[in-house]
Amino acid sequence: MKKIGIEINGVLRDTISKFIQLYEKNMIEENETENNLKSFDIDMSGNTDLVIGEENFKYKIKNEVTSLNLMNHFSFRNEDELYSFTYEDFAMQIFGHAGSSETFTFNDLNKIYLKYRDNNELLIVSDEMGRSKPASLFFLSKFGCQLEKIKFYSNTTINSMWDEVDVLLTSNPNLILEKPKDKIVVKYITNYNKNIKSDYEIEKLKDFDEVLQKLKIC
């Protein structure tokens, strides 16, 4: 019996596209509107002076998302602001209401689960923090995920995730590069991992079945 882990972000959920959509609406557009509403101070003589804010800072998408270090691709004042945006203020919108990676992602996922569940343990794994955990549970429920087991992990508990799997399907570059020697990683190809080598890789979730067959998992 093999323990087969399937990651949410990038594989099942198109998290990055939802992040971009919400960033454009709530950071770029709203702040452009606020900047257009000029503010004035009035002195005792009735003279007015334009109040100048942080004019050198501007929310913008710096470049295409080619890594999971989002500070390299989106303008935030600091890491704390990025964390608040992602895992507090818009956690449900980003992680709960994102679309699936493919049109038939969960149809294909449930087919794989039904095919391999009798002789193997299949589980969902995901790197989650703060309010993204309940949002991800909502996401899985919304799309009808049939897998019973879910393993959330963080940077401090990542070893416990590796203890739970023999084979991991992931799009995360760090997991691909830093896998333990006794584990098998299958790369789900995305824009942010194209240049990272992996022994096994797929472009569509349904192709994971073929890889499992090559690995002689039945």
Side-chain angles (χ1 to χ4, degrees):
M1 174 178 283
K2 293 293 185 181
K3 295 181 289 185
I4 303 167
I6 300 171
E7 187 182 33
I8 297 180
N9 288 322
V11 178
L12 304 180
R13 177 171 60 199
D14 188 2
T15 315
I16 296 297
S17 291
K18 194 63 175 180
F19 185 99
I20 293 171
Q21 178 189 7
L22 290 165
Y23 181 85
E24 289 177 337
K25 178 181 179 181
N26 294 283
M27 305 304 283
I28 296 177
E29 293 178 13
E30 286 199 7
N31 281 276
E32 284 179 350
T33 301
E34 289 177 5
N35 290 337
N36 289 333
L37 299 175
K38 297 180 179 179
S39 178
F40 294 86
D41 279 342
I42 303 176
D43 63 20
M44 295 297 290
S45 302
N47 298 318
T48 59
D49 292 314
L50 178 63
V51 176
I52 304 299
E54 298 179 64
E55 57 184 357
N56 292 327
F57 182 83
K58 184 178 181 180
Y59 290 103
K60 63 180 180 179
I61 299 176
K62 300 176 184 179
N63 47 53
E64 183 181 3
V65 179
T66 55
S67 75
L68 292 183
N69 186 345
L70 298 184
M71 287 293 289
N72 289 341
H73 308 292
F74 301 88
S75 294
F76 286 95
R77 298 179 194 277
N78 49 50
E79 292 278 357
D80 288 340
E81 187 180 42
L82 170 60
Y83 179 89
S84 295
F85 176 85
T86 308
Y87 297 104
E88 294 175 351
D89 300 338
F90 298 99
M92 180 55 74
Q93 292 94 322
I94 293 172
F95 299 102
H97 294 288
S100 57
S101 295
E102 305 170 30
T103 303
F104 299 108
T105 292
F106 282 86
N107 287 340
D108 294 333
L109 174 67
N110 290 332
K111 287 179 182 177
I112 291 170
Y113 165 70
L114 293 173
K115 180 174 180 178
Y116 289 95
R117 67 176 180 178
D118 290 341
N119 298 314
N120 303 278
E121 180 182 354
L122 286 85
L123 66 152
I124 299 293
V125 303
S126 194
D127 180 5
E128 305 286 354
M129 291 188 287
R131 296 176 183 174
S132 74
K133 293 178 183 178
S136 291
L137 292 174
F138 172 79
F139 171 82
L140 294 171
S141 173
K142 178 179 68 173
F143 281 102
C145 176
Q146 295 182 20
L147 279 70
E148 294 99 346
K149 187 171 182 179
I150 301 169
K151 173 66 179 179
F152 291 144
Y153 68 93
S154 65
N155 288 336
T156 58
T157 61
I158 190 169
N159 288 336
S160 68
M161 184 278 291
W162 283 118
D163 290 340
E164 295 278 354
V165 302
D166 299 307
V167 179
L168 178 64
L169 173 60
T170 181
S171 66
N172 189 316
N174 293 330
L175 296 180
I176 298 168
L177 291 170
E178 299 173 8
K179 76 175 184 70
K181 292 182 179 180
D182 61 337
K183 306 296 181 180
I184 296 172
V185 165
V186 180
K187 181 179 79 171
Y188 185 96
I189 299 172
T190 64
N191 285 338
Y192 50 81
N193 68 23
K194 287 181 178 179
N195 297 323
I196 297 174
K197 293 183 179 180
S198 179
D199 291 335
Y200 303 95
E201 57 184 45
I202 60 173
E203 293 183 344
K204 301 291 183 181
L205 182 57
K206 65 180 181 180
D207 296 334
F208 189 43
D209 182 23
E210 295 181 12
V211 176
L212 293 176
Q213 292 181 47
K214 288 179 182 179
L215 295 171
K216 297 182 179 180
I217 295 173
C218 59

